[in-house]
Amino acid sequence: WGSLGHITTAYLASHFVSNTTEAVFKELLKNDNADYLASVASWADSVRYTKWGRFTKTFHFIDAHDDPPRSCNVDFERDCKETGCVINALANYTEQVVDTALPDWQRAQAAKFVIHFVGDLHQPLHNEDVALGGNRLHVLWDGRGYNLHHVWDSSIAEKWIGGLHGKPYDLALKWANQLAVEITDGKFTPEKEVWLKDLDYKDPISTAMAWSRECNALVCTHVFPEGPKAIVGQELGGDYFKAAGPVIEKQVARAGYRMGAWLDQIADAYL
Ligand code: DCM
Ligand code: DCM
Ligand code: DCM
Ligand code: ZN
Ligand code: ZN
């Protein structure tokens, strides 16, 4: 996601975590404010192009070598790069957060990666190989040119919330609060339990793969319903957005709700 998606998922997670989890992560991240998760959610994107952070570049996605829209599927052995992918990155950094033999700064850094990667795992094009996750597909968005990856990282979400009129953290908090209502007592309430069914802190690879498969399926149904070639040069701000907006909304809601539950299990293991 772009920063709006990451900050929103983190605010949403902070809405649902237990009081214990809140205390554990405020202490670890050395931030006692309401944005203790939100303020670190985009950090992983800020280090990936630095010399130090280059090794994390492939941790943000898994390149599913499937064949949308005919067939969507993800296979860890086939698709996770030698240098790592979002699946084993989430598993490795989750282990680091709870490893009390590690120094505090390293556990805090691992927590920032976990918060970021749960988000990225819920973006359909972070679970797809075609055209570098859509980066090489040129499309139009309300008359202007973008690549398809950017549209799914940012443009759809920005339009869904009514445009970027306001401060990023304020917009994300407002959206997160709306999604929290939909989860607690709204359109997502009937499915929120199912969202946590695959969540098993003891088996992070299987958990992440279940989330990845669910997300990758959206590549066939909503990202490339007519295939990758057919989308090039198309205007996506109209009917395409009408179908994609609700998908983005649900993926951000799932990511935030699952992040909260994941951090709860980390905090329980850590005590
Ligand atoms: N941050 C914040 N409030 C501040 C200063 C910084 O929320 N007054 C956020 C911005 C960074 C995060 O904290 O994303 C961690 O910052 P750093 O990595 O510089 O420690
Ligand atoms: N920021 C903010 N309010 C916060 C946290 C951060 O306005 N509660 C700002 C500080 C930076 C920008 O957001 O200008 C990005 O911060 P970072 O990338 O360090 O999170
Ligand atoms: N990306 C992806 N799959 C790839 C390559 C990149 O999902 N195979 C993502 C990572 C960034 C965005 O696309 O969110 C842009 O990546 P880059 O700047 O590395 O091209
Ligand atoms: Zn992206
Ligand atoms: Zn990322």
Side-chain angles (χ1 to χ4, degrees):
W1 307 114
S3 56
L4 174 65
H6 281 296
I7 296 168
T8 304
T9 55
Y11 270 135
L12 191 51
S14 50
H15 189 96
F16 288 106
V17 291
S18 73
N19 292 339
T20 305
T21 303
E22 180 179 337
V24 163
F25 281 90
K26 279 183 168 173
E27 164 86 23
L28 186 63
L29 296 166
K30 301 198 187 309
N31 180 345
D32 210 25
N33 303 318
D35 67 357
Y36 66 108
L37 300 179
S39 65
V40 299
S42 297
W43 172 82
D45 278 333
S46 70
V47 300
R48 46 198 280 250
Y49 297 113
T50 65
K51 195 171 162 196
W52 171 80
R54 268 161 71 174
F55 73 101
T56 64
K57 232 186 123 177
T58 63
F59 294 0
H60 297 251
F61 53 83
I62 180 166
D63 278 342
H65 289 72
D66 53 358
D67 186 21
R70 194 188 60 78
S71 169
C72 273
N73 51 79
V74 196
D75 183 312
F76 179 72
E77 301 296 332
R78 180 191 66 188
D79 300 323
C80 191
K81 290 187 197 300
E82 292 277 310
T83 52
C85 65
V86 67
I87 308 295
N88 54 9
L90 180 62
N92 291 341
Y93 286 115
T94 296
E95 278 172 33
Q96 287 188 31
V97 184
V98 297
D99 186 348
T100 47
L102 296 174
D104 282 352
W105 68 264
Q106 194 174 344
R107 299 217 311 273
Q109 191 176 92
K112 295 193 211 177
F113 279 123
V114 166
I115 291 159
H116 186 86
F117 294 143
V118 172
D120 274 345
L121 191 45
H122 286 77
Q123 206 278 53
L125 283 171
H126 280 239
N127 297 271
E128 179 53 53
D129 176 60
V130 165
L132 283 177
N135 276 290
R136 295 200 175 142
L137 298 173
H138 183 266
V139 298
L140 295 174
W141 184 262
D142 294 340
R144 292 183 53 183
Y146 293 94
N147 74 66
L148 185 67
H149 190 93
H150 180 271
V151 166
W152 280 86
D153 264 352
S154 303
S155 311
I156 300 168
E158 289 166 9
K159 187 165 176 158
W160 181 258
I161 65 162
L164 294 182
H165 308 289
K167 294 184 185 167
Y169 280 81
D170 295 345
L171 292 168
L173 179 58
K174 186 173 165 217
W175 191 18
N177 287 341
Q178 291 166 350
L179 292 173
V181 172
E182 297 296 351
I183 292 168
T184 303
D185 186 21
K187 67 180 163 204
F188 295 134
T189 307
E191 54 188 300
K192 68 179 183 186
E193 256 181 65
V194 180
W195 289 357
L196 302 187
K197 123 180 112 59
D198 299 308
L199 195 146
D200 178 6
Y201 160 81
K202 296 241 167 53
D203 192 352
I205 299 282
S206 300
T207 302
M209 281 304 293
W211 296 346
S212 177
R213 285 194 188 94
E214 171 192 80
C215 191
N216 161 272
L218 298 166
V219 174
C220 282
T221 56
H222 291 82
V223 180
F224 302 129
E226 326 270 341
K229 288 200 183 84
I231 207 166
V232 174
Q234 295 297 307
E235 170 57 56
L236 305 184
D239 288 345
Y240 187 92
F241 166 73
K242 287 202 180 84
V247 169
I248 287 287
E249 182 190 41
K250 189 184 279 205
Q251 287 305 99
V252 169
R254 279 170 165 160
Y257 194 61
R258 285 167 172 167
M259 191 190 299
W262 195 249
L263 298 183
D264 276 346
Q265 294 203 359
I266 287 176
D268 286 347
Y270 186 100
L271 292 168

